[in-house]
Amino acid sequence: MSRPACAVRNAARLLATATERAHAGTGRLVLLRGATGTGRTTVLEAAAEDAGAHGMQVLRARCSAGDSAIPFAAILQLFGLIPEFADPAWDGDERATGAGLRRVLRSWAERSPLLIAVDDVHLADPASRRWLVESARLMDRLPIVLLVTERSQYDIDPPAQGLAHSLSPALVTTHTLTPLSDNSATAAARSAFPDADDSWIEDCVRAGAGTPLLLRALLDDLSDGSHPVVPDTSAALYRGAFPAAVQWWLDCAGPGTAEVARTLAILDEGWDHGPSAAFPVLHIPSLLAELSGADPARVAGWITAMTGLGLLRPDGMGRARYAHPLLRDEMLTGVSAARRRAAHRTTAEAMLHRGVSSELVARQLLLTDVVDAPWALSVLQDAAALALRAGHIEDAVAFLRRALDEPLADEGRQRLLTELGSLEYAVPGSSTAILRLTEALRLPGPPQERVRAAVALGTALTGRGRTRAGVEVLRSLYDALADRPDLVRILRQAFLQLSDRDQLVRQEAYKRLAEVAERSPESISTAGHAFLVKYAVTAGMTSAREAMLRLRGLLAEPADPLSEPYLLGTAAVVAQWADELDEAERLVERGLTGQRPDVLHPMHEALLNTRVDIVAARADYTRLLAGPPPAATTPTNAHAHALTALVEAGRTAEAERLAESFDLRTAPESWELNRFLYARGQLRAANGDLAGALHDFLECGRRQSAREVFSPVVTPWRTAAAECHLALGVPREALALAEEELRLARVWNTPRTVGRALRVLGTATGGRRGLDLTQEAVRLLRGGPAGPEIVAALLALGRQLTASGESSRARDTLREAAGLAERLGAIRLRDLAEEALRAGGARRPATRTGAASLTDSERRIAELAAGGRTNAEIAALLHLARRTVETHLTHSYRKLGIQRRSALSTALTGGDVPRGSLVSGRDA
């Protein structure tokens, strides 16, 4: 890579002027200054070649530190080939020798103009420097250009005086070579790699650090095209030009600067993945000075200078960091691991004393050996808590793993292992959680800590599909804690919650609980009684009103803090089933507030599941689909709700991909599997696979019944299967299922469950009786939460009215269904309502507004405009006339009910924007 054209041109103009003066008999000292790697030598060599091509005599010398003890070593290079000076006789008189050399110089200058090129004059021996200074004073009377390069870089050790320090400015022309700008470096990298993507080029620019030498070396190393990304380690660079260039830079900088540069690299590696929040500012110069033994003032100046050159760049917290990890890695070459660990410990302690955040101090401790001091363990645990609060689970895990290396008593190790195992369980792909929790349980410790470890281990085992092993862990402590009935109750509550994952375990657990409650109800905790209420609900033995009265009474009683999560979580589930959604939400938030995120607890996931259930009960499909479902090998409750939401939103292709991502044949038995079976049945029914849907609904029912879950409050599989039977022409089976669900629904007696059963029974019954049942369903559902059930009931009623010849009333009913469906985002039901309108003879079934009403072209143009594109840009991108774009946008504004371009984004994503009427009032 050559020097940027502007630098070459500027230097060439400068030297051309000096050459013209030399031809006229008036010479000049031209001083080229610049930091290491900025290309001083390159410019000097180009100038020498150009001078020779224009008939000038050229004498060259390159100074080096190794010759600094030899008098006139640099001058010997200049005149070594001159016959008059081929074998100089040194008499020890520097002044006489210098005068003799100047006489030789004059004689040569009399023949033709002369260019004397001296590279790296800052390394010249003292005698040569003095001779050059004295000679420079004569240049204005001789046809000689003295071209000298000198390193001008801020180093830790104060620099010696420059060559021109004692010369009049009138005798010297100075030109300073500046670092590469980002634009210049980008142009150079793009020239070498024209097809590279922008991020790759940007990485090259940062690693080049504004230094032509480093950038050229890096591009040479990358020239084989084997690096899709710029590596973070110099070991990946096969040719090794870049590592050699960095090491040369360090050698040129001197031992003091090199020491500080390497020390900063050690600090820098401890700052990776630092927190984004603001913390007390760490005074880097003083810390670097303390670690390296340098002058703090010089260190501060060096940081400023290196930032100006591009080698360092401040991060979001204002810390000076290497511009690219590759630079830092090469700076660390040759630094022993022991020295790095020791530096990180010293840094951690210094940061702690300066009041820096625990998280930043802990990042240094991650790179140290055991500290064996109380402050280290405290810092690591505090940092883990901060990271967890910020949602950085993997960081918290790293801090706690490091904390385990510090000396700990059994009780502290037990508590730490429980926390660490709980967090590792939440990290995808981690296989150590159960091992940590098992170790925690085996350690001797206070009874409460043992219970905490047992509950966490049982929860982890159950979550991994090993429910029996999980509950056995809890049961194994019953006898050992016989003198602590309060803790045994906690274990039994955890047992009950975890038993939901296994059919046989669940039956055994609730049978035992019911027997104890019948024999001595006072021995059962409030949470235990709440579990009994929940069991009665699922078994179809109580009404919503009775269940909620009982639970509210239990919630009003004083609660043991350890039992409260079980009480709140269980009450929240039942409140959600009872359509008391606001109350359920409050209970969930109370329960989650009391949870410790660093200790695995069976109610934590249960509360999160209930939160999702509440969103689904409100038919908030946008929120349900706001992000991808959690990564899992078996379907979860969140996957089931996402599948249902995709079906209802009309996104069947995505729903099919989600359904096909699980092999249900290998999924362990659980209530979540049953719920997913029900959701897959909905997908199959929507796609017209009625036999497949019927299979899923009946299999869901078989599994639920085996678990003694008979109430339709969780998964109304009977009505879903009945609708499949009707579509397949088997009305008798449909009637039997619908009647049974209505019987169970009337026990629970909420509008949602009873209305659903009445709707399906009305469709299965048909005739006037069926119409009456469906009308009753509509009346009942109008008093409950607005959701897909009222839409489905209106749709069923509209179809029955059409069949009975009441066309006008049917159309009004179906339009209401279509309008409600669109407001909910229930595209599947809206399409069914519009299809029923067309079948009933409506020529304009519905007039949509909102995002769903946009044509494909209108939506595409509106999305581009919402993304910030101008009309002209959209027209060019889509190859349309600008007027066409404007027309489409005008139509889109009207349909979306907005007046400004700034409202497009919200309107397109279904946010709160003014909307027009969703359905038309009359037929055409």
Side-chain angles (χ1 to χ4, degrees):
M1 186 195 76
S2 63
R3 285 282 301 149
C6 60
V8 174
R9 284 196 301 268
N10 291 341
R13 282 196 295 267
L14 184 75
L15 291 166
T17 301
T19 300
E20 290 176 5
R21 289 171 59 100
H23 279 286
T26 303
R28 191 97 176 148
L29 168 60
V30 178
L31 181 60
L32 290 178
R33 306 176 77 242
T36 300
T38 50
R40 303 185 312 269
T41 300
T42 302
V43 176
L44 180 140
E45 292 294 336
E49 290 178 12
D50 186 63
H54 286 81
M56 292 186 76
Q57 300 176 91
V58 179
L59 301 179
R60 303 187 195 188
R62 179 166 295 155
C63 306
S64 67
D67 294 336
S68 61
I70 303 173
F72 291 105
I75 306 307
L76 178 61
Q77 290 187 54
L78 289 175
F79 294 103
L81 297 179
I82 300 176
E84 298 93 318
F85 197 65
D87 188 17
W90 300 104
D91 57 8
D93 187 343
E94 179 182 321
R95 190 172 187 83
T97 301
L101 290 173
R102 276 187 288 278
R103 285 194 296 273
V104 174
L105 183 64
R106 285 193 186 93
S107 68
W108 266 69
E110 288 171 358
R111 300 175 191 178
S112 65
L114 180 63
L115 173 69
I116 300 176
V118 182
D119 197 14
D120 290 340
V121 75
H122 54 282
L123 300 177
D125 62 279
S128 293
R129 285 176 61 84
R130 286 190 289 269
W131 185 88
L132 289 169
V133 171
E134 289 300 320
S135 300
R137 292 192 172 98
L138 307 174
M139 290 298 138
D140 60 343
R141 288 167 274 171
L142 295 171
I144 300 173
V145 176
L146 177 55
L147 175 60
V148 175
T149 71
E150 185 175 63
R151 183 175 182 272
S152 61
Q153 183 169 301
Y154 193 101
D155 293 314
I156 297 303
D157 297 324
Q161 291 179 349
L163 183 73
H165 173 72
S166 62
L167 294 174
S168 167
L171 299 176
V172 185
T173 299
T174 301
H175 179 73
T176 300
L177 297 172
T178 58
L180 288 174
S181 68
D182 282 355
N183 288 340
S184 297
T186 298
R190 179 65 68 193
S191 175
F193 295 92
D195 298 326
D197 61 54
D198 290 344
S199 63
W200 192 89
I201 293 292
E202 183 181 349
D203 265 357
C204 284
V205 170
R206 292 178 73 89
T211 305
L213 171 75
L214 297 184
L215 182 58
R216 178 172 61 247
L218 177 62
L219 295 178
D220 286 346
D221 281 343
L222 301 177
S223 61
D224 62 0
S226 62
H227 297 282
V229 296
V230 177
D232 287 352
T233 173
S234 56
L237 300 177
Y238 173 70
R239 297 186 181 187
F242 183 83
V246 174
Q247 292 307 311
W248 181 79
W249 186 95
L250 286 171
D251 291 342
C252 291
T257 298
E259 176 70 11
V260 170
R262 291 187 173 111
T263 304
L264 178 60
I266 294 173
L267 292 180
D268 195 331
E269 69 177 344
W271 293 335
D272 284 346
H273 313 297
S276 57
F279 290 98
V281 176
L282 175 67
H283 192 249
I284 304 298
S286 61
L287 181 58
L288 272 177
E290 181 179 335
L291 293 171
S292 64
D295 177 359
R298 296 296 301 176
V299 172
W302 180 81
I303 289 175
T304 300
M306 293 305 104
T307 302
L309 288 176
L311 194 78
L312 305 179
R313 298 196 182 200
D315 67 4
M317 297 179 65
R319 299 173 300 193
R321 303 193 64 177
Y322 282 99
H324 193 275
L326 181 60
L327 264 174
R328 181 187 72 196
D329 181 71
E330 187 50 44
M331 292 288 177
L332 289 171
T333 298
V335 180
S336 70
R339 179 190 165 190
R340 288 157 75 170
R341 290 193 296 269
H344 285 300
R345 172 180 174 151
T346 303
T347 301
E349 201 158 2
M351 292 168 72
L352 181 69
H353 292 156
R354 287 170 167 81
V356 176
S357 157
S358 295
E359 194 167 354
L360 291 176
V361 177
R363 291 194 182 281
Q364 297 295 326
L365 291 176
L366 292 178
L367 302 168
T368 65
D369 292 324
V370 173
V371 175
D372 194 10
W375 66 264
L377 183 62
S378 175
V379 162
L380 288 162
Q381 291 180 309
D382 188 41
L386 288 171
L388 192 59
R389 200 174 304 149
H392 303 150
I393 294 179
E394 293 188 3
D395 286 344
V397 166
F399 295 139
L400 292 183
R401 284 175 179 167
R402 173 61 184 81
L404 275 180
D405 295 337
E406 296 294 323
L408 285 161
D410 282 344
E411 180 179 343
R413 180 169 292 274
Q414 183 178 57
R415 186 181 303 112
L416 184 58
L417 283 167
T418 300
E419 294 172 7
L420 178 55
S422 297
L423 293 180
E424 285 179 327
Y425 177 81
V427 176
S430 173
S431 59
T432 58
I434 290 174
L435 294 175
R436 305 271 196 205
L437 295 169
T438 301
E439 183 183 352
L441 185 59
R442 287 174 180 163
L443 288 172
Q448 191 160 319
E449 288 301 327
R450 295 199 71 202
V451 168
R452 197 189 305 275
V455 169
L457 178 57
T459 304
L461 288 167
T462 302
R464 296 285 190 259
R466 298 164 59 188
T467 303
R468 284 198 169 275
V471 297
E472 283 304 318
V473 165
L474 303 174
R475 192 150 39 191
S476 68
L477 292 185
Y478 288 177
D479 292 341
L481 296 173
D483 60 336
R484 291 293 303 272
D486 57 328
L487 295 181
V488 173
R489 278 198 296 272
I490 299 303
L491 292 171
R492 292 189 185 281
Q493 290 162 15
F495 188 110
L496 284 165
Q497 181 60 36
L498 296 178
S499 72
D500 259 351
R501 295 277 182 172
D502 184 279
Q503 167 188 322
L504 296 178
V505 174
R506 182 180 188 274
Q507 290 174 348
E508 174 190 342
Y510 278 98
K511 179 180 178 182
R512 169 71 178 158
L513 180 64
E515 289 173 353
V516 173
E518 185 176 353
R519 189 172 59 251
S520 55
E522 70 283 353
S523 66
I524 304 296
S525 66
T526 52
H529 283 293
F531 277 113
L532 286 172
V533 173
K534 176 183 169 186
Y535 178 81
V537 171
T538 57
M541 298 186 298
T542 187
S543 69
R545 182 175 178 277
E546 292 167 348
M548 290 306 299
L549 281 173
R550 179 71 177 121
L551 286 171
R552 285 170 182 144
L554 293 172
L555 286 166
E557 295 179 17
D560 173 10
L562 293 177
S563 295
E564 190 175 41
Y566 299 97
L567 174 60
L568 292 172
T570 305
V573 171
V574 177
Q576 181 266 313
W577 288 337
D579 287 333
E580 300 286 351
L581 301 184
D582 291 341
E583 184 172 356
E585 195 165 45
R586 287 192 295 271
L587 290 168
V588 166
E589 297 312 315
R590 273 183 62 192
L592 289 173
T593 300
Q595 290 283 304
R596 280 188 57 179
D598 56 344
V599 177
L600 202 56
H601 194 287
M603 284 312 300
H604 182 73
E605 185 178 357
L607 288 163
L608 294 178
N609 276 323
T610 304
R611 178 188 275 173
V612 176
D613 292 344
I614 293 167
V615 176
R618 290 175 171 150
D620 190 347
Y621 304 131
T622 300
R623 188 172 167 191
L624 285 172
L625 300 175
T633 56
T634 57
T636 66
N637 184 50
H639 290 104
H641 283 309
L643 186 57
T644 298
L646 288 169
V647 171
E648 294 302 331
R651 295 158 59 175
T652 53
E654 294 173 67
E656 287 168 1
R657 287 195 293 272
L658 177 57
E660 291 167 2
S661 64
F662 297 106
D663 184 356
L664 302 192
R665 295 170 298 180
T666 61
E669 162 69 31
S670 74
W671 65 269
E672 290 180 296
L673 173 61
N674 299 348
R675 182 164 283 182
F676 194 82
L677 273 170
Y678 180 82
R680 191 177 71 173
Q682 291 176 299
L683 170 63
R684 287 177 166 177
N687 285 343
D689 179 10
L690 297 172
L694 181 60
H695 170 272
D696 281 348
F697 293 138
L698 292 177
E699 179 63 14
C700 172
R702 183 189 70 77
R703 290 169 178 265
Q704 291 289 72
S705 298
R707 291 167 57 84
E708 298 179 342
V709 176
F710 304 117
S711 174
V713 70
V714 182
T715 46
W717 61 270
R718 294 179 185 83
T719 46
E723 289 183 295
C724 290
H725 277 306
L726 283 174
L728 291 169
V730 190
R732 180 172 297 179
E733 295 290 340
L735 275 169
L737 287 167
E739 286 171 347
E740 175 64 7
E741 179 147 322
L742 179 60
R743 183 187 69 79
L744 290 165
R746 288 200 186 279
V747 173
W748 183 240
N749 202 30
T750 59
R752 194 193 301 261
T753 52
V754 176
R756 180 195 304 115
L758 284 170
R759 166 179 62 83
V760 177
L761 182 60
T763 302
T765 302
R768 177 50 58 183
R769 171 62 180 157
L771 186 60
D772 290 342
L773 290 170
T774 307
Q775 287 175 325
E776 183 184 350
V778 170
R779 285 194 298 271
L780 193 61
L781 287 165
R782 286 193 191 280
E789 285 302 336
I790 181 61
V791 177
L794 288 167
L795 176 58
L797 179 59
R799 285 169 171 166
Q800 288 174 289
L801 289 170
T802 298
S804 65
E806 299 183 56
S807 301
S808 178
R809 187 179 165 204
R811 286 194 289 271
D812 289 342
T813 301
L814 292 171
R815 282 199 189 90
E816 183 183 358
L820 285 172
E822 186 166 339
R823 281 197 288 276
L824 287 171
I827 306 304
R828 181 186 70 86
L829 289 171
R830 185 204 67 194
D831 290 347
L832 289 174
E834 292 184 348
E835 181 183 335
L837 276 166
R838 287 190 292 272
R843 286 174 289 176
R844 287 196 292 112
T847 301
R848 300 181 207 157
T849 60
S853 67
L854 301 181
T855 66
D856 289 344
S857 296
E858 288 169 347
R859 173 172 281 278
R860 188 175 185 190
I861 289 170
E863 287 173 346
L864 288 171
R869 303 267 190 173
T870 65
N871 290 358
E873 288 172 338
I874 296 170
L877 187 65
L878 301 181
H879 306 290
L880 297 172
R882 182 169 176 171
R883 180 62 181 166
T884 302
V885 172
E886 292 169 352
T887 300
H888 278 310
L889 283 174
T890 299
H891 292 165
S892 299
Y893 288 179
R894 185 178 66 250
K895 292 180 179 181
L896 295 170
I898 61 175
Q899 296 180 344
R900 298 185 306 278
R901 201 184 193 94
S902 59
L904 269 173
S905 181
T906 302
L908 289 171
T909 55
D912 294 331
V913 295
R915 294 176 178 267
S917 174
L918 289 166
V919 288
S920 62
R922 292 182 171 275
D923 293 334

